[in-house]
Amino acid sequence: MSTTMTQAPTSRGAVGGNALTGTGDLLRFALRRDRVLLTVWVLGLAVMVASSVAATAGLYTSEAARIEASEAINSTAALVALYGKVYVPTSLGALSLIKLTAFGAAIVGIVFVFLIARHTRGEEESGRLELIAAGAVGRAAPLAAALLYASVGALTLGLLTTVGLLVTGLDAPGSVAFGLSWAVSALVFSAATAVAAQLTVSRRVTIGLGLVAVGVAYVLRAVGDLAEGDPGWLSWLSPIGWSQQIRPFAGDRWWVAAISLAAVVVLVPIAFTLRAHRDLGSGLLPDRPGPAVGRIHGITGLAWRLQRGPLIAWTAAVVVMGFVLGSIAQNVSGLLDTEEMREFITMLGGEQALVSAFIAAEVSIFGIMVAGYGISALFRLRQEESSGRLDLLLSTSTHRLRWAWAHAAIALLGVAMLLLLGGAAIALGHLMASGGEDPAVPELVGAAAAHLPAAWVMSGIVILLFGWLPRAMPAAWALFAAFIVLGEFGQLWQLPTWVLDISPCAHSPLLPGQEFTWGPMAALTTVAALLTILGMAGWRRRDVQS
Amino acid sequence: MITLQGVVKRFGSTTALDGIDLTVEAGEVHAFLGPNGAGKTTTLRILLGLLRADAGRASILGHDPWHDAVAIHRRLSYVPGDVSLWPGLSGGEVLELLGRLHGGVNPARRAELIELFDLDPRKRTRTYSKGNRQKVALVAALASDSDVYLLDEPTSGLDPIMEANFRACVHDLRAQGRTILLSSHILSEAEALCDRVSIIKDGRTVESGTLAELRHLTRTSVSARLHRVPAGLQEIPGVHDVTISDGEVQAQVENGAMPAFVSALAEAGVVELQSHPPTLEDLFLQHYART
Ligand SMILES: Nc1ncnc2c1ncn2[C@@H]1O[C@H](COP(=O)(O)OP(=O)(O)OP(=O)(O)O)[C@@H](O)[C@H]1O
Ligand SMILES: [Mg+2]
């Protein structure tokens, strides 16, 4: 408030004023608006770190135990691709945080993609920014405020994480290095999202581009990390790789953070330059005129038109990622160069079993990702409703259930298609790279299909919320995040089985490798169907709420 | 055609409609007036079956709007107060879509209306101004061959020329015997277009009738120059706000009190007499003013 008051007279004098006038007010406003959201995320992530360390510390009390565990991780390609390596096998910090270094940096990246998209394109798209821009606010101020907001968030996250680690008794330099590695991840992906927000015209596409950036960064480092010894050059192209290579508790290489900061220094001016070259509300490219007479013939046609863009993007992402991940599966054997390891592996079922386990882990990650697609596609229902566009549609002879089913069908079938394609892409990537025909394409498509019922349960939960508690739909994302965390850390935290079993993903078999039974598949599918039907029943009888 | 009897709608603790009554006869253009937040949009959304009434009876075209929504909508068109469209679609695509969903429109009629409202159908709706978005909804509604039109502040974003075009369209529809329920804040519009008027406030109907009937209920403002100043004008029941200065009398007179008032003036010797029938605006202000 005071900033505007004191600056207003000066900016009135100079035509156009200061491009940053009002940044402080906007920042305060953004922080106030998100005080709950940001607090929950930052605290949640910090608590997750501290509790993982506390849980692991008890498991590996002796140095020998730590070395054994670290070497087991470092020699398992699936784990290296997923999490990276433990660079100092004796380090308790490095071992207990292995799951949260690269993977954690990716989660942090995703959270900040959502937050920054919301504060840049989201504000603009909703028209709220226009209201603000009309006030004593400089042209660049909203973007500056969003980036400062990201910095405040990143800094708080880094600090709280550091404090959390110190509380568990780990050493100070490592704790600070870990906090730093997360903070720079938050910063890089915030800056990247700020650039993406200037290129597109919708929050959804901005989030999509941001998530693609996170995904690409994650895969690049997965491939790079599989190199023997030090990570390959691909890891050095990845912002997640940069965070990881700070190597908290395993050398604490502070200088690596400079790479991330340099990327931020490059990206931020790009975002501001792009912003300066476009009008409020528009993208960088001018809108092309559309057809004067439409070809959208019905409610299903409209749903498809609205859903096809994201679905095509997801299809491309799943196919490319599947292919890349599939083609690195064969590298498993490259890591097994010691005699003991070979014996150990043979004991576990041979190299083939390891390749299978690696592929099964990839497939299960796809299962989770694609469930996320289902959730985001179903949010269209609520967006159409709250924007008031649904009023217009339902004032025609469109039945409300038909409208809802059109979107639900695309989401549910889209989930199925993406999973099957992902399975096929992994198998093809593996086939091309190794020449080994095992596991074959049909087998992997089947393995991917085994994750379908769990993904549908997630979709069903969204539909249920839409039908009964539409304003609470964002809770579906929180639930989804909770399921992922349960799957990743539940066993480590020694939670009782019934808690672990709450997550639908816990019931999907890891194929190939595990035994397949129809029971859980049938049960999950039934639950998904019930949730969907119940949700639709709620929608049938409730008010249209904007 | 449209009847609402004692309809109640609550949103949590707020009562948006508190027993609203409304009757719209077939072939009539009915104005629906009321201050902000009175419940106009809520009423229209109940009539569309988008909201379910908590109590009372609603019927439109002889059907229950909640249960028979689809059947009703084949014969109904709606223009929302706040038109939001799909940003990536062109105006033409939206018009075609809405037309088809409604069950077919006359393309020639639609082309005529696009021309009349000076709409560029090739533009993405993202780039439309508020007025142009509203025109898309208006063209879609007017191009359809419906029996009932529900229009929620349909001219709030239109320029005066477009507003005149809209009025002409409503006149045509009325000549064809269509039924129109039009919510509005623009009194001249209601006076020019409508046969009957309902005024609601805080979710209740406070007045309903033809303009003539409503005028009857309000006070006429009278001013007169007299030979001598009569005494006791204030005492006549139904006469209000009397001011006397320099032999000029001004007063607000209820219709029932008019004979007594005029004869009192006549006794005093009238030099000049003017009376202004209440405008809709007077009527409006009288009801809108929070008491
Ligand atoms: N979904 C909702 N949830 C809560 N309250 C609502 C909702 N919709 C409407 N209301 C409330 O109901 C009342 C009537 O609103 P309504 O939109 O019908 O008014 P209106 O007469 O159309 O006003 P205006 O002239 O401003 O368009 C208002 O007090 C409003 O705040
Ligand atoms: Mg309204």
Side-chain angles (χ1 to χ4, degrees):
Chain A
M1 204 38 125
S2 57
T3 326
T4 325
M5 304 279 257
T6 51
Q7 288 187 359
T10 48
S11 63
R12 208 178 299 140
V15 177
N18 180 349
L20 291 174
T21 307
T23 305
D25 290 332
L26 291 179
L27 173 62
R28 248 166 310 207
F29 178 62
L31 288 171
R32 244 203 73 203
R33 226 182 108 206
D34 274 6
R35 58 190 185 279
V36 178
L37 190 76
L38 193 63
T39 314
V40 166
W41 272 116
V42 167
L43 267 183
L45 287 167
V47 167
M48 192 165 88
V49 169
S51 51
S52 301
V53 172
T56 326
L59 295 178
Y60 308 105
T61 41
S62 75
E63 196 170 290
R66 290 203 287 273
I67 292 174
E68 191 186 347
S70 299
E71 288 193 334
I73 291 172
N74 288 351
S75 55
T76 310
L79 295 179
V80 171
L82 271 182
Y83 305 120
K85 287 181 188 158
V86 183
Y87 288 102
V88 174
T90 51
S91 161
L92 174 63
L95 173 63
S96 54
L97 287 168
I98 183 68
K99 280 192 167 186
L100 284 168
T101 313
F103 189 70
I107 291 180
V108 168
I110 291 171
V111 169
F112 277 79
V113 165
F114 273 93
L115 288 176
I116 300 312
R118 174 178 145 83
H119 283 280
T120 50
R121 218 8 118 166
E123 284 296 274
E124 216 169 301
E125 195 179 19
S126 69
R128 269 192 294 270
L129 198 51
E130 205 149 320
L131 211 60
I132 290 167
V137 163
R139 224 152 109 73
L143 181 57
L147 287 168
L148 284 176
Y149 167 89
S151 314
V152 172
L155 206 69
T156 319
L157 177 67
L159 278 176
L160 282 181
T161 314
T162 304
V163 170
L165 289 173
L166 289 173
V167 168
T168 63
L170 288 175
D171 66 74
S175 304
V176 177
F178 187 86
L180 181 71
S181 79
W182 270 21
V184 293
S185 174
L187 285 178
V188 174
F189 287 109
S190 296
T193 309
V195 172
Q198 312 309 316
L199 299 174
T200 61
V201 286
S202 77
R203 190 182 57 96
R204 291 173 63 89
V205 180
T206 305
I207 290 176
L209 285 180
L211 293 184
V212 166
V214 176
V216 167
Y218 194 71
V219 171
L220 280 177
R221 64 134 285 283
V223 180
D225 284 3
L226 283 174
E228 273 177 61
D230 275 338
W233 58 276
L234 281 175
S235 293
W236 291 104
L237 291 181
S238 157
I240 295 177
W242 303 332
S243 282
Q244 192 185 2
Q245 293 307 324
I246 293 177
R247 302 193 182 173
F249 302 103
D252 302 329
R253 305 192 296 178
W254 308 96
W255 59 269
V256 180
I259 304 178
S260 305
L261 295 178
V264 173
V265 169
V266 171
L267 286 170
V268 166
I270 293 179
F272 276 106
T273 312
L274 292 175
R275 173 65 192 90
H277 284 91
R278 67 175 183 84
D279 298 327
L280 189 63
S282 65
L284 203 56
L285 305 169
D287 273 302
R288 279 174 298 117
V293 178
R295 281 177 300 274
I296 302 172
H297 289 333
I299 205 70
T300 316
L302 177 67
W304 172 241
R305 172 69 184 265
L306 297 174
Q307 297 268 8
R308 75 179 176 194
L311 186 57
I312 291 171
W314 271 86
T315 307
V318 158
V319 168
V320 171
M321 264 184 76
F323 201 78
V324 172
L325 288 177
S327 61
I328 59 175
Q330 59 150 352
N331 296 12
V332 175
S333 41
L335 287 157
L336 316 168
D337 43 7
T338 66
E339 198 56 37
E340 298 95 313
M341 249 7 258
R342 284 195 179 282
E343 271 170 35
F344 180 59
I345 298 306
T346 317
M347 217 173 68
L348 285 179
E351 273 177 34
Q352 191 51 51
L354 267 181
V355 174
S356 291
F358 179 57
I359 289 179
E362 285 172 352
V363 172
S364 80
I365 289 182
F366 270 55
I368 288 172
M369 268 177 34
V370 169
Y373 161 77
I375 300 176
S376 78
L378 287 165
F379 263 74
R380 257 286 168 195
L381 288 169
R382 181 64 190 144
Q383 284 163 0
E384 289 291 287
E385 181 187 14
S386 61
S387 66
R389 294 189 285 258
L390 182 59
D391 281 22
L392 208 52
L393 284 182
L394 294 188
S395 75
T396 67
S397 58
T398 304
H399 196 282
R400 50 162 76 204
L401 276 181
R402 217 171 108 52
W403 165 80
W405 272 114
H407 283 277
I410 293 174
L412 295 173
L413 294 177
V415 165
M417 183 196 78
L418 287 174
L419 261 177
L420 300 187
L421 275 179
I426 293 176
L428 279 177
H430 176 58
L431 192 74
M432 307 267 277
S434 67
E437 64 275 13
D438 206 31
V441 176
E443 190 186 346
L444 268 195
V445 171
H451 292 275
L452 189 51
W456 275 345
V457 169
M458 263 331 294
S459 306
I461 291 173
V462 182
I463 296 174
L464 184 76
L465 283 171
F466 172 71
W468 295 92
L469 291 169
R471 297 219 169 98
M473 268 174 84
W477 283 118
L479 203 59
F480 184 54
F483 288 158
I484 295 177
V485 169
L486 269 188
E488 281 292 320
F489 301 102
Q491 276 176 334
L492 185 63
W493 293 335
Q494 301 180 333
L495 295 177
T497 321
W498 68 265
V499 177
L500 300 180
D501 283 348
I502 294 175
S503 166
C505 309
H507 306 280
S508 302
L510 293 174
L511 297 174
Q514 279 184 5
E515 202 176 324
F516 175 81
T517 47
W518 283 103
M521 299 289 100
L524 284 174
T525 310
T526 312
V527 170
L530 282 178
L531 290 169
T532 304
I533 291 167
L534 214 62
M536 288 294 181
W539 163 236
R540 202 194 157 100
R541 55 176 296 285
R542 78 165 168 85
D543 289 346
V544 177
Q545 303 171 11
S546 35
Chain B
M1 208 36 96
I2 298 174
T3 29
L4 292 174
Q5 283 172 1
V7 170
V8 175
K9 180 70 200 173
R10 287 183 209 93
F11 296 106
S13 57
T14 39
T15 304
L17 299 182
D18 191 13
I20 198 167
D21 299 306
L22 178 72
T23 312
V24 180
E25 304 293 345
E28 125 183 338
V29 181
H30 196 110
F32 196 35
L33 309 172
N36 294 131
K40 303 179 293 296
T41 302
T42 307
T43 307
L44 294 181
R45 295 181 82 227
I46 284 181
L47 287 172
L48 282 164
L50 296 173
L51 301 178
R52 201 213 285 256
D54 293 320
R57 242 178 46 81
S59 116
I60 177 165
L61 288 160
H63 293 277
D64 177 305
W66 178 263
H67 289 287
D68 305 325
V70 173
I72 293 170
H73 293 171
R74 282 189 226 286
R75 298 171 55 195
L76 172 150
S77 292
Y78 170 59
V79 175
D82 195 359
V83 181
S84 164
L85 303 171
W86 299 269
L89 268 54
S90 71
E93 282 179 301
V94 172
L95 284 175
E96 174 75 19
L97 172 74
L98 291 177
R100 281 184 184 269
L101 291 179
H102 190 272
V105 287
N106 178 350
R109 172 83 183 127
R110 187 172 59 206
E112 225 174 86
L113 285 163
I114 289 176
E115 186 87 358
L116 180 69
F117 283 103
D118 193 22
L119 198 65
D120 180 355
R122 299 179 61 85
K123 272 192 165 177
R124 308 269 173 194
T125 65
R126 179 188 296 126
T127 65
Y128 275 154
S129 64
K130 170 178 161 59
N132 280 333
R133 284 201 304 274
Q134 193 148 29
K135 284 189 217 164
V136 172
L138 265 178
V139 170
L142 295 173
S144 70
D145 189 29
S146 297
D147 296 326
V148 175
Y149 293 80
L150 300 182
L151 312 175
D152 194 0
E153 299 183 38
T155 58
S156 62
L158 300 189
D159 65 40
I161 296 174
M162 294 305 150
E163 207 177 309
N165 290 344
F166 167 74
R167 288 186 190 188
C169 289
V170 172
H171 276 298
D172 288 351
L173 289 176
R174 179 213 229 152
Q176 294 164 21
R178 313 300 169 96
T179 308
I180 299 173
L181 177 58
L182 178 145
S183 100
S184 178
H185 288 299
I186 304 168
L187 303 168
S188 57
E189 182 175 272
E191 272 189 303
L193 293 176
C194 300
D195 307 305
R196 295 208 309 146
V197 173
S198 289
I199 299 180
I200 67 164
K201 189 179 158 188
D202 297 333
R204 288 169 180 277
T205 315
V206 289
E207 293 299 356
S208 190
T210 63
L211 274 175
E213 281 166 2
L214 291 194
R215 288 203 172 108
H216 195 76
L217 294 173
T218 41
R219 301 160 188 175
T220 304
S221 100
V222 179
S223 66
R225 193 193 294 279
L226 305 173
H227 278 305
R228 59 192 166 76
V229 177
L233 280 182
Q234 284 100 323
E235 269 78 75
I236 302 173
V239 176
H240 307 266
D241 305 336
V242 179
T243 56
I244 302 171
S245 61
D246 284 347
E248 252 204 58
V249 175
Q250 296 203 331
Q252 305 287 326
V253 184
E254 286 177 16
N255 270 41
M258 200 55 95
F261 184 72
V262 173
S263 57
L265 289 185
E267 259 169 45
V270 179
V271 177
E272 206 181 299
L273 180 70
Q274 283 186 326
S275 92
H276 303 283
T279 61
L280 190 52
E281 193 148 344
D282 296 330
L283 211 140
F284 220 46
L285 290 175
Q286 190 179 320
H287 285 299
Y288 276 31
R290 308 251 156 213
T291 43

